[in-house]
Amino acid sequence: MRATVIYGPHDVRVEDVPDPVLVHPTDAVVRVTHACICGSDLWAYQGVAKREPGQRIGHEFLGVVESAGADVTGVKPGDTVVAPFVWSDGTCEFCRESLHTSCPVGGFWGQPGSDGGQGQAVRVPYADGTLVKLPSGLGDADLVKILALSDVMSTGHHAALAAGVRKGGTVAVVGDGAVGLCGVLAAHRLGAERIIALGRHDARTALARRFGATDVVPERGDEAVAVVRELTGGQGAHAVIEAVGTEQSMRTAIGVARDGGAVGFVGVPHGGSAGVDIGDMFGRNVALRGGVAPARAYIPELLADVLAGTLDPSPVFDVSVDLAGVPGGYAAMNDRKALKVLVRPDGGAV
């Protein structure tokens, strides 16, 4: 089959790789119909996050089950399924507590020895604990909406929950990438009255308003903190979503938080903890929660809203390519010519 591999900074290729096969009786093999490129993939593309030359890449996908091991009972060949960005057994103590990302036998798609989502097929370990079966007969538009649940929408939701977004509250969202925009959508879904989106790219901030943002702040750093505080009568936001992962973004997030508020951080950290001022947080009773989103725990709830027609994160996909177009998709996202690239491995480029 064909799949996306990474050799080094700015060196992503689509190559022939071995077809996935069942290894354990708990495995399934899924033929990928929809995948995408994540903003976190760009850290590897830029050389900030290290990868082994020739390592697979991509962690968001859905598709059709082609084969299932003897111990798999939840899905069967022919079923359409969506995969969260981490596999898990669904039975350990952490999975039972809805923290699938801490499953001792879990892992991330594309890690050495595993298939990546940006390919024609994927071997799925622990299929029953990982895959979410979808209703039959869904059209392409619904499948694209559901694809966003595999990571970015679930991650935005995780950040909103970690930040304590509540009905009638004020929320600030630091970051205008796909996760930040899904954080806006999540805050709106949870009933926030005021949502302040921090971003400076017109197309993205327009989408933030479409998703429910009431205010847009293009400033950065101390200037952004000052503007948000001015907008909130000097107090700051009850809940803050941090969706970037840099020192500056964390400083901004903590700075715009209201005393007694919380920051939900989901931006993959690049810069250590230098942006976290424990003394400032202590004095103002600002909480910090978040981390890797347990998407498997959130997908069923969010899926119900997608199927009901009340949740649609699909506008984050603004470019579509086939598998051969994936390297160009990385370049487009890296150059900010695309927000999030949808991949249809067997065609569908527009």
Side-chain angles (χ1 to χ4, degrees):
M1 72 168 188
R2 303 282 286 173
T4 306
V5 296
I6 184 167
Y7 282 88
H10 304 277
D11 188 2
V12 168
R13 311 175 196 175
V14 178
E15 296 184 339
D16 289 323
V17 300
D19 291 337
V21 296
L22 301 175
V23 176
H24 303 292
T26 51
D27 291 348
V29 172
V30 174
R31 175 175 56 82
V32 178
T33 61
H34 298 72
C36 51
I37 303 172
C38 185
S40 63
D41 291 331
L42 295 182
W43 293 119
Y45 184 75
Q46 294 166 355
V48 177
K50 301 301 180 185
R51 295 290 187 273
E52 296 180 2
Q55 187 174 334
R56 307 285 182 83
I57 194 166
H59 54 263
E60 302 157 284
F61 67 94
L62 61 79
V64 178
V65 176
E66 287 198 329
S67 59
D71 291 348
V72 176
T73 60
V75 297
K76 64 183 185 304
D79 286 342
T80 303
V81 293
V82 61
F85 63 89
V86 171
W87 72 75
S88 55
D89 65 13
T91 61
C92 73
E93 184 174 351
F94 288 109
C95 288
R96 293 197 304 271
E97 294 174 355
S98 296
L99 192 61
H100 300 78
T101 49
S102 291
C103 179
V105 295
F108 291 80
W109 310 113
Q111 71 183 44
S114 73
D115 293 312
Q118 295 162 15
Q120 291 180 309
V122 174
R123 180 180 73 86
V124 178
Y126 304 102
D128 281 342
T130 301
L131 298 173
V132 177
K133 182 179 176 180
L134 302 178
S136 60
L138 293 176
D140 181 74
D142 282 332
L143 292 175
V144 173
K145 297 174 189 177
I146 295 167
L147 176 64
L149 308 187
S150 66
D151 185 347
V152 289
M153 187 63 226
S154 290
T155 297
H157 179 65
H158 182 58
L161 293 180
V165 173
R166 58 178 174 82
K167 188 174 182 178
T170 296
V171 180
V173 179
V174 181
D176 60 3
V179 170
L181 292 169
C182 286
V184 171
L185 190 55
H188 180 71
R189 176 178 176 272
L190 293 171
E193 181 175 326
R194 190 172 195 183
I195 303 173
I196 303 169
L198 281 71
R200 57 175 58 187
H201 302 91
D202 290 344
R204 299 183 181 195
T205 55
L207 184 53
R209 289 190 181 278
R210 179 176 169 184
F211 279 174
T214 55
D215 304 89
V216 170
V217 173
E219 289 83 2
R220 291 184 177 177
D222 292 341
E223 292 182 358
V225 173
V227 173
V228 172
R229 290 200 166 271
E230 182 179 358
L231 288 171
T232 57
Q235 294 184 344
H238 299 100
V240 182
I241 292 173
E242 191 286 311
V244 182
T246 64
E247 177 181 341
Q248 182 188 66
S249 64
M250 184 62 79
R251 288 190 186 279
T252 299
I254 294 171
V256 300
R258 176 189 177 106
D259 288 16
V263 175
F265 71 103
V266 293
V268 179
H270 288 85
S273 58
V276 178
D277 186 336
I278 295 296
D280 178 48
M281 293 170 62
F282 180 85
R284 298 196 294 116
N285 282 280
V286 172
L288 182 63
R289 309 184 190 95
V292 186
R296 182 60 181 82
Y298 300 140
I299 287 175
E301 173 187 351
L302 299 174
L303 175 62
D305 281 7
V306 170
L307 296 177
T310 59
L311 178 64
D312 180 8
S314 64
V316 298
F317 299 109
D318 58 345
V319 172
S320 177
V321 299
D322 59 10
L323 195 55
V326 168
Y330 272 86
M333 286 181 61
N334 189 63
D335 295 340
R336 291 190 175 273
K337 296 178 180 177
L339 169 61
K340 189 169 181 65
V341 174
L342 171 67
V343 181
R344 293 184 175 90
D346 293 326
V350 295

